[in-house]
Amino acid sequence: MRPVAAAGSRIESLTAEPLDVAMKEPFEIAGGSTTRVRNVLVKVRLRGGAVGYGEGAPLSAFNHDTQAATLAALRRSAAKLVGEDCDRLRPLLARVEELLGPERGAARAALGMALADAWGRRHRLPLRLLFGGAQDQVRSDVTVTIVPARAARAAARRIVALGVDTIKIKIGRDVEEDEARVRAVASARRGLRLLLDANQGYGPRQALQLLRRLRRAGIAPALFEQPAAKDDWRGLSDVHRFGRVPVAADESVANRQDALRMAAKRCAQVVNVKLMKCGLLEAWDIALICRASGLGLMAGGMIETSLAMGCAAHLAAGIGGFDFIDLDTPLWLARDPMTGVRFGAGGCYELRKAKAGIGVRPGAPPRGAVASNDTE
Ligand SMILES: [Mg+2]
């Protein structure tokens, strides 16, 4: 029997608008370059007055998703959700999945996040408690994108100065240049934990070639993410076996079925969980499938503000046991348009500061809107 909803938990309104943010510098990966963030912002208001915010970050260099398609899908679905009960959060997130379909990961993420945030604000509970409350903070790495070695060394020094001890290095275009970039980063400080991410730019042959070169230079990466095309699971397995390095599946694991298959086949040792690949509920389930089957976990994202990154931090902290946290993209923005919990000293997201929901919201009311009186 469905529980009778208190009127205050019903969805009163749901809006989606562009969230365009200028970047400090381009974000260059094997699949292409991003020079401007074209995300979306969803706002959900419940009848009892609680307001929740969600962010969608379509990234065409990753999976060809776009802002226009995300906004159109959200606007089509919004009317169908008005009147639904936000206290039935899991079934409501399942309905969001069904309405938006598997192609609209960023739209699913934005809407699911806004509903979870509204739920948390209504009950005055931070989201990390919804996900299990395992930890109250996570520490992120910082990424060095595909830039020349000299710029990579300078970037690594800036990262070390932030107190961050894990650096993720984007590679996947040219083995020689990639080797030079990794060596330059490694030279910034002894003992740095280095993660490589080829974003499918390599096949296993080039990945193993790079690992051999790095080994000769005395460099052993702690993780090699997506060293082969997303469907080349044999390639992932070969890089682990012959390269003697833990491999992370990012593009290769985009839904529950992929996670279940990876749990059975063990071609990678770690899965990168991203809200934008599939939405909040499916990312949550993927993380639990991985935990239950002994696969390692990474929390990642596309190019997101503190809102979506904060939500991912709650998910990772709540479930606990994520060995890799990659939630640094607010650093790429000319100005983060959000206030609240953020990437802080040492790459730390202090989630104790979030009193309800994600604990992050837009810094200024959306254009033309009346200032809201919702609580953090
Ligand atoms: Mg990746």
Side-chain angles (χ1 to χ4, degrees), residues 30 32 66 84 124 128 139 149 180 186 242 264 352:
T66 66
E84 291 283 342
R124 301 192 184 278
R128 66 186 177 81
R139 273 191 78 185
F242 302 114
R352 264 168 307 200

Side-chain angles (χ1 to χ4, degrees), residues 13-361:
S13 66
L14 211 155
T15 58
E17 61 179 88
L19 178 63
D20 292 343
V21 190
M23 295 179 70
K24 245 187 263 175
E25 54 184 290
F27 195 89
E28 190 95 22
I29 67 171
S33 178
T34 304
T35 52
R36 194 171 170 79
V37 176
R38 296 187 189 281
N39 290 356
V40 303
L41 180 70
V42 167
K43 182 177 178 181
V44 171
R45 182 181 288 277
L46 305 184
R47 284 190 196 156
V51 172
Y53 293 97
E55 177 181 5
L59 187 64
S60 62
F62 186 88
N63 60 2
H64 311 292
D65 204 358
T66 66
Q67 184 188 53
T70 301
L71 278 174
L74 284 166
R75 285 169 179 161
R76 271 197 305 275
S77 308
K80 294 176 184 146
L81 291 167
V82 169
E84 291 283 342
D85 181 8
C86 193
D87 275 358
R88 300 183 72 246
L89 187 61
R90 259 191 97 92
L92 184 56
L93 295 177
R95 171 112 170 93
V96 165
E97 265 186 19
E98 182 192 301
L99 276 174
L100 290 164
E103 301 302 313
R104 297 274 73 86
R108 280 176 169 192
L111 193 42
M113 198 183 305
L115 292 168
D117 189 38
W119 178 91
R121 286 168 188 249
R122 169 172 157 74
H123 295 287
R124 301 192 184 278
L125 288 172
L127 280 198
R128 66 186 177 81
L129 298 188
L130 172 71
F131 299 127
Q135 298 162 212
D136 53 21
Q137 58 164 237
V138 290
R139 273 191 78 185
S140 179
D141 61 31
V142 175
T143 302
V144 170
T145 60
I146 296 186
V147 292
R150 184 191 288 255
R153 186 178 295 110
R157 287 195 180 130
R158 288 195 298 272
I159 293 167
V160 168
L162 294 173
V164 170
D165 57 13
T166 303
I167 298 184
K168 175 159 160 175
I169 308 163
K170 293 291 190 181
I171 56 164
R173 287 215 190 132
D174 180 286
V175 171
E176 224 165 280
E177 284 173 21
D178 289 347
E179 181 196 353
R181 184 177 320 107
V182 176
R183 291 177 73 151
V185 170
S187 73
R189 207 203 73 192
R190 282 173 74 88
L192 278 172
R193 188 166 74 141
L194 302 178
L195 321 177
L196 308 181
D197 187 359
N199 287 104
Q200 311 185 76
Y202 278 167
R205 203 177 50 82
Q206 291 120 302
L208 288 167
Q209 197 186 343
L210 177 66
L211 285 171
R212 274 193 302 274
R213 285 168 171 243
L214 292 177
R215 190 164 298 122
R216 279 199 291 271
I219 296 170
L223 190 72
F224 201 147
E225 199 179 329
Q226 207 61 48
K230 66 177 180 180
D231 297 324
D232 184 8
W233 286 34
R234 171 79 188 273
L236 299 180
S237 188
D238 285 350
V239 173
H240 169 59
R241 219 168 117 211
F242 302 114
R244 301 192 298 275
V245 65
V247 164
D250 182 0
E251 287 88 340
S252 292
V253 174
N255 56 47
R256 293 181 188 88
Q257 288 69 34
D258 293 339
L260 288 165
R261 218 175 106 217
M262 188 58 82
K265 292 191 176 288
R266 322 298 290 190
C267 295
Q269 290 64 53
V270 174
V271 169
N272 188 341
V273 178
K274 291 180 175 173
L275 302 174
M276 301 303 153
K277 289 196 267 194
C278 51
L280 179 61
L281 182 63
E282 191 152 10
W284 188 358
D285 284 352
I286 289 172
L288 294 180
I289 289 167
C290 294
R291 279 301 297 274
S293 56
L295 286 167
L297 285 166
M298 172 185 264
M302 303 303 176
I303 301 175
E304 303 166 9
T305 73
S306 295
L307 179 59
M309 293 260 137
C311 186
H314 278 277
L315 182 68
I319 293 172
F322 278 63
D323 291 324
F324 305 94
I325 303 289
D326 180 30
L327 300 176
D328 62 327
T329 60
L331 300 183
W332 262 261
L333 309 178
R335 193 185 68 84
D336 191 338
M338 303 292 160
T339 63
V341 173
R342 59 183 53 249
F343 180 105
C348 202
Y349 282 81
E350 290 288 358
L351 300 173
R352 264 168 307 200
K353 291 181 183 161
K355 300 298 178 210
I358 303 170
V360 182
R361 62 174 179 175

